[in-house]
Every structure is written in C-alpha cells, then in structure tokens.
Amino acid sequence: MKILTFGQTGQLAKSIKRTQPKAVKLIQLNHQQLDVTQPNQIYAALELHKPDIIINCAAFTHVDNAEKLPEQVININSVAVEHMAKAADFFDIKLIQLSSDYVFDGHKNAPYTVTDLPNPINAYGRSKQLAENTILDYHTSSFTLVRTSWLYHHSGHNFVTSMLNLMLKTNVQHAAGARPDNPIKVVNDQMGSPTMVDDLAHFLWQLCSQPKWSAIYHWSDAGTCTWYEFAQEIKTQGIALGLLAHPIHIQSIMSEQYPSSVKRPKYSVLDTHLSQSIASSKPWQQQLSLCLKQFQHEQKLNTKV
C-alpha cells in the first residue's frame, strides 16, 4: 500500500511518519515541494507518485490567526481541498480529509455524533466545514472525513507543551504560576476530549486498511475535561514524575476572561462509537502520562548533549 500525505512538517504528518507500518510505502510532500493551492501541482504529484490513499495533513490550524487572515485560511483549508478532491476523483485515489470538533457550535450537552449538523462559530471552523462539504458532495465511499479534537504531543506547539513550558518556569519568582497572585490562568468552561496525536495516527493507519469507509468518523482519546482540568492533570502528573516542582499556581477562569477575540465552542466532545469498531481509544489521562514520560526522556537526552 502506498500512502501520500500533503504536508510533512506539521504535528500530524510527523506522527504519521513516526508510526508508519513497515509494509506501507509513505510519501510526504512539504510546502516547498507542493503548493496545495495550485491544482496543477496536485495533479502532477498524483500522476507521478500514484498513491492508493491520500491523507491531507496540510492545514491552517492557528485558530486565532484564522480570524485575522480569512482569505489565507479559506485557501488552505477549503479551496485546496476542492483541488485535492477533484484530482483524487480523476485518478480514482482514496482520500482522507482531517476535520475538527470546531465545526460544531458547542450548544449541545451530549457528545456530537457523525450525523449532527455542523454550525461553526469561528473562521477556522467555517473553513473546515467548507472542506467537509466538498468531500461529502462527492457521495463516494473512496472519500472520508475524520474529525478530531484537542491534539497534542510532547514536541511542537500545542497545549501540553505550552503548559509544560510555563510550569517549568515557576522557579523564577516573576513567572506566571510562581506565586498565588500571578497564577497561570486557564479556561474552565470549555469541555472537550484531549487526543495524543500518535493515537490519531494509529487510527488513521487502521482506517487505511479498511476495505470500506463510512462518510464521517470521529476520533479522540476517551474521556472529557475542561482546559483547566487538563492543565491540572499535566501539573499533577508532572509533579509525580519529578518533571515539575512545587509551587505551581493555576487559576480557573471563564472564556470571557481569556484574551482572545475568537469564539470557541463551550462543548465539543465527539461521539467515537463508530470508530471504536476500527480501533479502541484509551483514557486521555493514560495517554497524557505516556506523553509526559516522552517529554521527560527528551529533556534528559538534551541535557546530555
């Protein structure tokens, strides 16, 4: 089986490479090799490499910047997907498009199912919904959507590494989190499911081996929390590992108190029942523990260099 990913340097693309099965030939194209907004380049790449499946990892993922750069986010997250879908359909190549829990408005109080209608409330979510519409309009079992939520890893820029970097600085008196009167402030009224990116990659590899696809899948690690509860778990596990030291002060705040102009869904938990027939998700706390141990291992290696 030959898999091609649009995107090579992002969090998910790196994870797909890291978890690549031995029997799979993987081709990854970065932005310098292929501009996904140029249809002629997409057609040329597919004609050259002739993959069995495309996994689209190319995306504009910075939610705050999406509000400031609407044309750019639409071009990368939506228009480019139209080009990919047309080319994949032309060459009869299967396509997996990644999407987000942010296509939902967060007004629901139960996990969003694959049949729930999207209603995004920010520019990033709208761009992902437009891409979803493109894929679903083809009405083909060769195309599928995989929605996921709250991706993180022990490297790169994500919530876990951001929190760890803040918490590791609490030995400095003026750093956020070092004193009760200068806490790390984390939103406590947005509920979702953290997902270690390697778990998503493993699911995608399992999905690639399936003979038939449904139109939409949801994937996340098991369980739910708020961002504040997520941060507290990072702190608790980090201290238990000896990775972090006391004191670390974290304050629960409301979304309105967080310095961002972007509206985010208050509840974006995904119902993953359909996906569980393909792979079993593990508790997010358990996967966070693996992530923190990897972070600690990397730190020890770096100090030896």
Side-chain angles (χ1 to χ4, degrees):
M1 182 165 54
K2 187 188 292 187
I3 307 295
L4 182 145
T5 71
F6 292 123
Q8 182 185 43
T9 58
Q11 186 172 227
L12 178 57
K14 287 180 179 179
S15 181
I16 285 173
K17 176 64 177 177
R18 200 164 45 241
T19 58
Q20 175 186 352
K22 292 181 179 178
V24 172
K25 181 175 182 180
L26 177 64
I27 301 158
Q28 296 193 298
L29 302 176
N30 60 37
H31 180 68
Q32 286 71 37
Q33 295 168 305
L34 184 143
D35 183 347
V36 294
T37 65
Q38 301 301 314
N40 59 320
Q41 293 187 29
I42 294 173
Y43 276 83
L46 298 187
E47 189 168 24
L48 174 64
H49 296 293
K50 298 179 173 60
D52 299 297
I53 301 173
I54 300 163
I55 303 176
N56 180 27
C57 300
F60 188 115
T61 58
H62 197 296
V63 177
D64 287 84
N65 284 349
E67 300 292 328
K68 305 169 189 174
L69 302 166
E71 186 175 340
Q72 187 175 342
V73 72
I74 289 294
N75 281 338
I76 296 172
N77 287 357
S78 307
V79 177
V81 176
E82 291 183 35
H83 301 326
M84 292 176 200
K86 288 177 182 177
D89 187 58
F90 179 81
F91 288 108
D92 195 24
I93 297 169
K94 299 176 81 173
L95 172 62
I96 299 174
Q97 168 64 20
L98 274 297
S99 194
S100 168
D101 57 329
Y102 277 22
V103 299
F104 297 114
D105 57 22
H107 294 164
K108 198 176 177 184
N109 291 315
Y112 282 96
T113 70
V114 295
T115 58
D116 282 326
L117 295 178
N119 184 35
I121 56 175
N122 56 47
Y124 172 75
R126 287 189 289 273
S127 72
K128 299 303 281 186
Q129 184 194 16
L130 288 172
E132 288 191 2
N133 292 343
T134 293
I135 299 300
L136 295 173
D137 282 348
Y138 275 85
H139 301 291
T140 172
S141 59
S142 294
F143 290 3
T144 190
L145 297 169
V146 178
R147 295 186 185 124
T148 192
S149 62
W150 296 22
L151 287 181
Y152 70 90
H153 188 247
H154 72 270
S155 62
H157 181 69
N158 56 71
F159 184 78
V160 170
T161 55
S162 295
M163 285 295 108
L164 285 173
N165 289 332
L166 283 173
M167 292 178 190
L168 285 166
K169 293 175 182 175
T170 55
N171 62 320
V172 180
Q173 184 63 21
H174 67 268
R179 304 191 315 272
D181 61 345
N182 185 27
I184 298 169
K185 298 179 180 180
V186 185
V187 169
N188 198 24
D189 61 348
Q190 295 174 18
M191 179 78 70
S193 298
T195 307
M196 189 167 74
V197 70
D198 283 5
D199 293 332
L200 173 60
H202 283 301
F203 172 73
L204 293 175
W205 285 122
Q206 291 295 321
L207 186 61
C208 286
S209 67
Q210 300 301 304
K212 292 182 180 180
W213 289 345
S214 295
I216 303 172
Y217 294 93
H218 287 171
W219 181 265
S220 69
D221 288 336
T224 64
C225 62
T226 66
W227 291 111
Y228 172 75
E229 291 168 340
F230 195 8
Q232 286 285 15
E233 187 68 18
I234 294 167
K235 169 186 168 180
T236 300
Q237 291 196 21
I239 290 172
L241 282 171
L243 177 63
L244 301 170
H246 289 290
I248 300 171
H249 302 279
I250 307 175
Q251 179 184 336
S252 164
I253 63 171
M254 298 292 101
S255 298
E256 293 75 17
Q257 298 172 274
Y258 184 75
S260 173
S261 59
V262 182
K263 289 184 179 180
R264 288 172 168 82
K266 293 292 182 74
Y267 184 94
S268 62
V269 177
L270 300 173
D271 184 324
T272 64
H273 280 98
L274 177 62
S275 300
Q276 298 304 308
S277 63
I278 297 173
S280 297
S281 57
K282 300 178 180 65
W284 69 265
Q285 297 94 331
Q286 176 183 321
Q287 300 312 93
L288 174 62
S289 177
L290 292 176
C291 176
L292 295 181
K293 288 173 183 176
Q294 290 170 337
F295 182 88
Q296 187 178 44
H297 179 67
E298 293 278 334
Q299 276 210 322
K300 289 178 180 178
L301 289 178
N302 291 336
T303 56
K304 291 178 181 179
V305 176

